[in-house]
Amino acid sequence: MKTRITELFGIQHPIIQGGMHYVGFAELAAAVSNAGGLGTITGLTQKSAADLANEIARCRDMTDKPFAVNLTFLPSLNTPDYPGYIKSIIDGGVKYVETAGRSPEQYMPLLKDAGIKVIHKCTSVRHALKAQAIGCDAVSVDGFECGGHPGEDDIPNMILLPRAADELEIPFVASGGMADARSLVAALALGAEGMNMGTRFIATQEAPVHENVKQAIVAASELDTRLVMRPLRNTERVLNNAAVERIIEKEKRLGADLQFKDIIDEVAGVYPRIMKEGEMEIGAWSCGMVAGLIHDIPTCQQLLDRIMSEADALIRQRLNAML
Ligand SMILES: Cc1cc2nc3c(=O)[nH]c(=O)nc-3n(C[C@H](O)[C@H](O)[C@H](O)COP(=O)(O)O)c2cc1C
């Protein structure tokens, strides 16, 4: 399949693996890229710019295909060494960066001078237009369904994607709720040029996370995610568990008085224990409603091959027969 996204990133299939904290290591990024998509290393999961340089080198050992690095710009007391991370990206010869969180405007000159293509992930049309205005090459439009941070507007992709298509000139991919050929064909019909998946890629053979995490996604239905941290305007969609129920109870009890310190035990620094050790109840971790569409743990190659062959059949047979 050829779209503006496959052309932009030099990939075979218009499918991107979004950055994921403590999931987006070199093993997964390389597996997605080797399967014909665009894999992504999550920059901030690496503790320093030197660690990121090492992770990029490991990924290069595992694939000769293009891959990206995610840089997430979050409100934080100790701002990460973004210029250092960007230097590791440039020195490592990485040509694609997925930015997310706050606007990447401040770092665009550094990235663009190095010839890097930037895809900014955002949850609203106004932020997508801003990304276009500051020189991003593409956007990843992340609907309310998504795992992780859906923003505060709560617009699902059935509305958000055609709205983005009406306004944007740069190409965009659909993100949030994407799992299979049906998602891809629907996304293309709504105006996107491909899709970005997070949760679906965690339940793959190559995702370097504990088996418990993969099984939790397979076992979950579309009813099992919750939104937390809305009172802090840092809404996150997570899989429900005992820690999430504690957060929700505190949010109800404290209302507008809730502060980050009230939920710090359930959200701060919990990812290594969940993703690496498989301690599934100790904290909140991002997961999309799309868990309800995930029933197996294929290799990335099997997943992408299945999506592309079923998309072909869907377009040529089911849709064409309706005309
Ligand atoms: C466990 C997990 C961790 C994530 N961490 C990040 C992150 O660090 N930075 C980021 O930009 N997006 C992050 N995301 C969002 C994904 O890149 C992607 O946009 C989202 O998962 C898409 O929705 P889906 O899960 O319905 O496919 C994360 C998602 C998950 C499920």
Side-chain angles (χ1 to χ4, degrees):
M1 190 180 279
K2 188 169 148 183
T3 74
R4 289 165 76 197
I5 286 294
T6 59
E7 298 285 287
L8 181 65
F9 296 117
I11 50 178
Q12 193 184 353
H13 310 309
I15 299 175
I16 299 175
Q17 168 246 319
M20 287 182 281
H21 198 38
Y22 274 91
V23 182
F25 292 97
E27 287 80 4
L28 181 61
V32 173
S33 290
N34 283 333
L38 185 72
T40 305
I41 293 172
T42 313
L44 295 193
T45 300
Q46 302 301 321
K47 296 210 171 355
S48 67
D51 289 344
L52 177 59
N54 188 42
E55 197 67 7
I56 290 169
R58 287 208 313 122
C59 195
R60 220 168 267 306
D61 282 345
M62 289 184 260
T63 185
D64 54 8
K65 301 272 174 55
F67 59 89
V69 172
N70 167 285
L71 283 179
T72 304
F73 301 109
L74 289 175
S76 136
L77 290 179
N78 304 316
T79 306
D81 174 21
Y82 290 114
Y85 283 96
I86 292 173
K87 185 169 185 315
S88 297
I89 291 168
I90 296 169
D91 292 349
V94 175
K95 290 287 167 212
Y96 307 110
V97 164
E98 179 200 49
T99 55
R102 294 191 166 174
S103 167
E105 185 164 13
Q106 188 184 346
Y107 300 102
M108 286 303 283
L110 263 180
L111 295 165
K112 289 276 103 188
D113 285 351
I116 289 171
K117 305 266 189 251
V118 178
I119 178 164
H120 182 61
K121 187 165 57 197
C122 50
T123 57
S124 70
V125 174
R126 66 184 181 284
H127 291 142
L129 284 170
K130 168 83 180 171
Q132 175 174 278
I134 64 170
C136 292
D137 300 275
V139 279
S140 196
V141 175
D142 217 13
F144 182 51
E145 306 88 331
C146 72
H149 293 270
E152 312 301 326
D153 288 352
D154 300 355
I155 309 296
N157 267 335
M158 196 60 87
I159 311 297
L160 192 58
L161 298 175
R163 280 285 300 118
D166 284 345
E167 303 263 353
L168 287 172
E169 281 160 28
I170 55 174
F172 66 96
V173 294
S175 178
M178 305 286 132
D180 55 28
R182 295 169 300 184
S183 323
L184 177 59
V185 175
L188 297 174
L190 292 169
E193 308 260 345
M195 66 179 177
N196 177 68
M197 302 194 293
T199 305
R200 172 67 271 194
F201 276 121
I202 305 177
T204 59
Q205 293 291 327
E206 295 94 339
V209 300
H210 197 282
E211 188 62 22
N212 290 354
V213 181
K214 303 182 189 187
Q215 293 300 341
I217 291 172
V218 170
S221 87
E222 63 277 18
L223 301 173
D224 293 330
T225 70
R226 299 288 181 272
L227 295 176
V228 294
M229 294 195 282
R230 174 133 287 177
L232 302 174
R233 289 192 64 79
N234 185 27
T235 302
E236 182 180 1
R237 184 178 298 285
V238 297
L239 193 68
N240 196 21
N241 63 20
V244 169
E245 283 178 0
R246 284 201 301 278
I247 298 174
I248 292 171
E249 186 278 318
K250 289 183 214 180
E251 288 179 350
K252 278 197 186 129
R253 183 158 43 82
L254 297 169
D257 294 333
L258 184 87
Q259 292 179 28
F260 185 69
K261 66 175 172 51
D262 298 316
I263 56 168
I264 199 161
D265 289 345
E266 284 85 14
V267 298
V270 295
Y271 267 72
R273 283 176 64 192
I274 296 166
M275 295 298 174
K276 294 268 167 224
E277 313 301 328
E279 296 180 56
M280 301 314 297
E281 300 294 319
I282 63 124
W285 59 281
S286 296
C287 178
M289 287 176 163
V290 73
L293 297 177
I294 298 172
H295 311 299
D296 60 358
I297 305 174
T299 65
C300 289
Q301 188 75 58
Q302 287 166 341
L303 178 64
L304 266 59
D305 286 351
R306 180 169 77 198
I307 292 173
M308 295 316 296
S309 70
E310 290 182 6
D312 192 284
L314 197 45
I315 296 166
R316 284 186 212 273
Q317 293 163 28
R318 184 161 193 271
L319 300 185
N320 200 34
M322 290 173 178
L323 294 174

